[in-house]
Amino acid sequence: MLSTLLHEAGVQAIYSYAGATQTRRTPALPVRVGGFGGVQGLVDYLRTQRITHVIDATHPFAAQMSANAIAACAQLDLPLLSMERPAWQAQPGDQWRHVPDMAAAAKILSPMLKRVFLAIGRKQLAAFAGLAGEHQFVLRVIDQEGGALPLPASCYELIVARGPFRLADELALLRQYRVDCIVSKNAGGADTYAKIEAARQLGIPVIMVDRPVLDPRTQCQSPQQAMEWLRC
């Protein structure tokens, strides 16, 4: 974990959370929680805190935060690194359909696929609200709390759990809920990949939502690479 490496190296750093998730891993650094108020709010914060380097280690689908970081660092001429784990790549046996966003995923979801595992978190469930009469959804979220879901209660079954998930457990889940299709973000990483492996083994199709496209910026794929960048 990057925060541990920074702490062990004695680097003065602040770990920032958006605050959308109640259940968080505790980093080994001082923490701030909450948004910045757009680009200008982030600019003001970076300037006030005398930040000299920014590492964007947000989720690959946190496009707005990443775009704000790109714009703010450009304004202040600050070095910016995006630490982004590699995207998953289709393997032999995978049945993926690539789409650019959740609206497209909902649009191509076949009425024949009745039981759908939405492995997408809370924020983008609204894209599927219009399909409530055609499908039964299995939802997996990190937190029990977080406000009402934008789907009728009669059309979904809710699982509260946080990864990493094991292949055996994902196979059992897909069988237990008789899942016909998975909608997944291409988040990359190992923590949630088991559902993709399980789908491959069971012959279940996956609607794979591709990552948002952002402006070019310096990138790395691991905490160790981020530490090397800081030493430059």
Side-chain angles (χ1 to χ4, degrees):
M1 193 177 194
L2 179 58
S3 64
T4 301
L5 294 178
L6 291 167
H7 175 72
E8 291 175 348
V11 177
Q12 289 187 321
I14 299 172
Y15 200 101
S16 177
Y17 282 115
T21 302
Q22 299 300 314
T23 305
R24 297 188 292 264
R25 296 185 175 102
T26 303
L29 293 171
V31 172
R32 73 167 300 280
V33 179
F36 293 96
V39 174
Q40 190 55 51
L42 180 55
V43 167
D44 293 342
Y45 178 83
L46 296 174
R47 183 182 287 125
T48 300
Q49 296 296 319
R50 299 181 180 178
I51 301 298
T52 61
H53 295 73
V54 176
I55 298 177
D56 176 11
T58 55
H59 191 280
F61 282 80
Q64 188 60 63
M65 184 64 240
S66 293
N68 289 353
I70 293 169
C73 289
Q75 282 193 40
L76 296 173
D77 197 25
L78 286 180
L80 169 66
L81 177 71
S82 172
M83 188 178 76
E84 187 173 289
R85 53 186 178 255
W88 297 323
Q89 302 296 322
Q91 304 298 317
D94 285 330
Q95 301 177 45
W96 290 8
R97 291 191 67 182
H98 289 273
V99 294
D101 53 39
M102 288 300 164
K107 188 174 181 178
I108 71 166
L109 190 55
S110 168
M112 300 291 292
L113 303 170
K114 294 296 185 182
R115 299 184 62 82
V116 182
F117 182 22
L118 295 181
I120 61 174
R122 289 175 175 270
K123 288 187 175 182
Q124 295 176 306
L125 291 173
F128 299 88
L131 303 177
E134 301 177 30
H135 303 275
Q136 186 71 19
F137 298 110
V138 178
L139 314 179
R140 182 160 64 195
V141 299
I142 293 174
D143 298 314
Q144 181 69 52
E145 303 300 325
L149 299 176
L151 297 172
S154 60
C155 81
Y156 68 81
E157 297 171 85
L158 184 66
I159 302 168
V160 180
R162 180 170 195 152
F165 299 106
R166 299 185 308 165
L167 175 59
D169 294 332
E170 297 293 68
L171 286 166
L173 182 150
L174 296 179
R175 288 175 174 134
Q176 176 185 347
Y177 289 95
R178 294 175 285 116
V179 169
D180 298 316
C181 178
I182 296 173
V183 178
S184 174
K185 299 175 181 177
N186 195 332
D191 282 6
T192 60
Y193 185 65
K195 66 178 178 289
I196 305 302
E197 293 182 285
R200 184 186 308 134
Q201 289 194 21
L202 297 176
I204 294 173
V206 175
I207 298 176
M208 187 64 74
V209 182
D210 292 330
R211 296 178 177 186
V213 178
L214 294 166
D215 290 340
R217 69 269 191 222
T218 302
Q219 293 180 275
C220 75
Q221 297 181 345
S222 71
Q224 291 77 16
Q225 290 172 338
M227 295 297 293
E228 288 299 318
W229 176 79
L230 284 172
R231 295 187 184 106
C232 292

